[in-house]
Amino acid sequence: MSDEIDALILARQAGALSVEEHRRLERLLRDDPAATRRLAYWSRQAVDLRLLLGASAHADRGRRRRAALAAAASVALAAAAALVALMVWPEGDGVTTPSLEQVLAAAPPAPPAEAEPPFVAGAALTLADGSVITREDDARLRRLPAAAGDLLALDDGRIACDVRARAADAPLLVRTPQLELRVVGTRFSVAVSGGTTRVAVEEGAVTLHSARGDRVGRVQAGQWRSVDGRGHDSYGHLGDLGLLRPWDGATPAGSWRTLFDASMPRVLARMRGAVHAEIARPDGLLGALGTVPSSQNSAWSVFELTTRRAGHFLVHPETRLSLVLLQPPPAGDVVLLVLVLNDERGRFVTNLFHHLRPAGRGWNVGGIRVGDCFVGPDGDRSVAELTGMRCVSVIGVVFGPRSREMRLGWLRVADALRASL
Amino acid sequence: MSDRMPDPQELVRFLARHQGLMQAYAYAIVNDLHLMEDVVQETSLFVAERWAQLPPEHAAAERWLKGVLRRKSLEALREKPGDHLHLDEAALARLDEAFDEPEPDRAQRVAALRHCLDHLAGRARSVLEARHVEGEGCERIAARIGRPVATVYTILKRARQALADCVERRLARAGARP
């Protein structure tokens, strides 16, 4: 009997159960307490496998990713430096690295914190059926008259669309210089840049047509497709673009690590379609910055940084993080900043948490002192012990339960961690 | 919405302590690892928002949490497109009882599984990764490795049973030590 129970449960978890076998398993679960105990057992094993295999798989992918980014960084160094200069918020109360100062010196003067361009104003467009189109600050989006449905023209930049189910004869059309997208209910993003349109679909599917109206294809959930003006077409699974994840599956220090190990692969998988900046600093720091809307009503803003070569950051409790939120979190939200620190071998060191209380100068949450963060409940080190700790990567998550599109502008890396390369 | 916000440390501690239970319980219902993560995330948010409603007593808090997980899991299944085979109410009630039983030696069990996984290599490991990390369907895995889908099922089943046997042997050895 127990062999049969195990076989049925494992077949169910492999997606190989017939209707008859499902009915049989259901009967066993109703009538035999041993069957439900086995289902609990195999379910625990399945989620543990996801956790343990996920950590090592992401480490492998991170190594490949770093190699690819290193090559790209050498070509795009000048552009990346300008990007970083624009994104890093200058402030006088922290520690800055010389290399960053060099970058800042070449950049235009940064505006004061109050002048942070608000993301909300004019950025979110709600259509009559409740569909929400959110555009990035610099996206050029126009609404055009349409005989049926809605018609948007995206000339440049990126938009994220959460489109309610609608009739096939009243679709949402998104027109770019290269493509026309027809949508009858899905979540996806479109980016137009450098003569290329890239579509990434999170849920549902999007039909693509050429500018002449010919059907180009269909992008399904979990896929991206990129088309340039000359008709060059590339596509792939969003999972192919692994982000940096340098730890190697070494022993977790506590259950908070377990919590984040379990959730981060999924978060990062979503982030792949939502990265709004990749960072390649002249001093060897690489990273990515993105906003990850959840399935319903929350968002994870995620950033990740790592060193390109055999370098490290030095953490000091007196250093400060300056965080720029591009949208205010809703009143009463609990917003946690989580820093996941890994050591030189990519092994987990500890998590640091800070309860963010945005106040004062716009949404610039300035001056969070590392020493004021708290270590996770099962962390094995105090913050003070981290002084001088060498870390090769930092993953940060800002977690707001009701913040659908809260965006993390930038964490002042230079104030938080000193690069020592 | 509750009238008091949770203390972040308290909330983190509660979610961390129940993470394993939340994931396994939700997965047992929805039978989809990606969907399980959505359910756990939604449940975590719900807990944060309804913190004041959380019963102070441990067993009651776990019952409350499982109730939320079950409701969120069923909601997620309803929203999932396509035809799916769901467990009926009676089976779910029994499942609830199974998860009332505490999991013995949780930390040792995970450590043992990690050790056993270190000895799993080759095709079995890559198939397990594809299924359990990437969430790939067995048909797709089969197409990628150029083997019949039945072979993928067999690889998955044998690998998981071998890991389970390895974990039990390792725990038994550890328990036998003075």
Side-chain angles (χ1 to χ4, degrees), chain A residues 3-367:
Chain A
D3 282 351
E4 183 197 8
I5 292 169
D6 283 352
L8 288 170
I9 292 169
L10 289 171
R12 177 178 186 252
Q13 295 185 348
L17 212 58
S18 67
V19 175
E20 293 71 29
E21 287 168 331
H22 174 80
R23 299 288 168 234
R24 170 71 181 149
L25 175 61
E26 212 167 40
R27 270 199 302 281
L28 287 167
L29 291 171
R30 277 197 304 262
D31 301 339
D32 184 355
T36 48
R37 277 199 292 273
R38 293 307 287 169
L39 178 55
Y41 175 87
W42 289 115
S43 299
R44 286 180 173 124
Q45 193 213 51
V47 299
D48 289 343
L49 283 173
R50 182 167 179 77
L51 164 66
L52 297 171
L53 288 167
S56 56
H58 277 276
D60 292 344
R61 211 174 290 142
R63 281 189 282 277
R64 290 197 296 273
R65 176 76 168 167
R66 281 196 295 282
L69 279 176
S74 63
V75 177
L77 199 57
L83 172 66
V84 171
L86 286 171
M87 295 185 67
V88 174
W89 203 272
E91 197 175 68
D93 59 352
V95 180
T96 52
T97 62
S99 57
L100 185 60
E101 291 301 326
Q102 288 165 7
V103 174
L104 287 172
E114 289 77 4
E116 170 68 16
F119 177 72
V120 179
L125 169 66
T126 302
L127 303 177
D129 66 347
S131 300
V132 178
I133 315 298
T134 308
R135 68 172 172 85
E136 299 239 324
D137 299 339
D138 55 354
R140 286 192 283 132
L141 181 70
R142 293 172 292 140
R143 191 170 184 183
L144 303 176
D150 295 283
L151 173 59
L152 303 174
L154 177 66
D155 301 317
D156 192 42
R158 178 175 172 273
I159 58 173
C161 307
D162 187 349
V163 182
R164 297 267 175 95
R166 49 172 66 197
D169 57 358
L172 167 69
L173 303 177
V174 181
R175 194 172 288 165
T176 75
Q178 292 80 34
L179 290 172
E180 184 172 275
L181 286 67
R182 294 187 186 176
V183 184
V184 289
T186 179
R187 288 169 66 92
F188 67 102
S189 67
V190 195
V192 177
S193 176
T196 299
T197 294
R198 185 178 188 275
V199 182
V201 178
E202 186 183 338
E203 290 174 13
V206 173
T207 308
L208 305 182
H209 295 257
S210 72
R212 290 184 307 181
D214 306 324
R215 185 183 159 108
V216 173
R218 191 172 161 84
V219 189
Q220 304 277 4
Q223 296 177 343
W224 62 268
R225 189 155 182 168
S226 184
V227 178
D228 71 14
R230 289 173 295 178
H232 294 154
D233 193 358
S234 56
Y235 54 90
H237 293 279
L238 294 174
D240 294 341
L241 303 173
L243 284 174
L244 306 165
R245 187 74 188 277
W247 62 57
D248 59 5
T251 306
S255 53
W256 215 174
R257 163 73 196 276
T258 307
L259 177 66
F260 269 82
D261 261 349
S263 62
M264 284 305 285
R266 180 68 168 149
V267 170
L268 292 178
R270 286 180 173 171
M271 185 179 171
R272 284 164 198 147
V275 171
H276 54 76
E278 286 187 351
I279 313 302
R281 278 174 38 152
D283 58 10
L285 300 187
L286 299 175
L289 186 63
T291 301
V292 189
S294 81
S295 55
Q296 287 188 15
N297 59 355
S298 67
W300 302 75
S301 287
V302 180
F303 64 89
E304 177 160 0
L305 293 167
T306 190
T307 48
R308 189 168 61 214
R309 294 185 297 275
H312 55 262
F313 306 116
L314 289 177
V315 179
H316 193 283
E318 289 304 321
T319 56
R320 289 170 182 273
L321 312 173
S322 295
L323 191 66
V324 180
L325 301 179
L326 297 184
Q327 188 178 357
D333 238 359
V334 174
V335 181
L336 287 177
L337 169 67
V338 185
L339 295 178
V340 184
L341 303 180
N342 301 308
D343 72 9
E344 288 165 290
R345 294 179 57 194
R347 293 174 307 192
F348 171 78
V349 175
T350 193
N351 292 305
L352 293 176
F353 302 93
H354 200 288
H355 184 194
L356 301 179
R357 294 180 183 84
R361 301 177 304 165
W363 315 117
N364 188 352
V365 187

Side-chain angles (χ1 to χ4, degrees), chain B residues 24-101:
Chain B
Y25 183 71
Y27 179 61
I29 298 175
V30 300
N31 198 41
D32 176 323
L33 288 162
H34 289 323
L35 204 57
M36 172 273 288
E37 285 178 357
D38 284 346
V39 168
V40 170
Q41 185 175 323
E42 291 303 322
T43 303
S44 302
L45 301 181
F46 188 89
V47 170
E49 289 176 358
R50 310 293 172 93
W51 187 247
Q53 296 174 12
L54 188 73
E57 197 261 320
H58 176 75
E62 281 201 351
R63 273 197 302 278
W64 183 85
L65 184 63
K66 279 190 290 183
V68 175
L69 280 164
R70 188 166 158 179
R71 198 165 63 248
K72 295 284 179 191
S73 298
L74 295 175
E75 279 172 18
L77 285 172
R78 274 196 295 274
E79 289 172 11
K80 186 179 175 183
D83 293 329
H84 305 284
L85 297 171
H86 301 163
L87 298 177
D88 65 18
E89 280 294 318
L92 289 177
R94 292 286 186 190
L95 186 65
D96 224 41
E97 292 163 14
F99 276 93
D100 278 341
E101 298 169 14

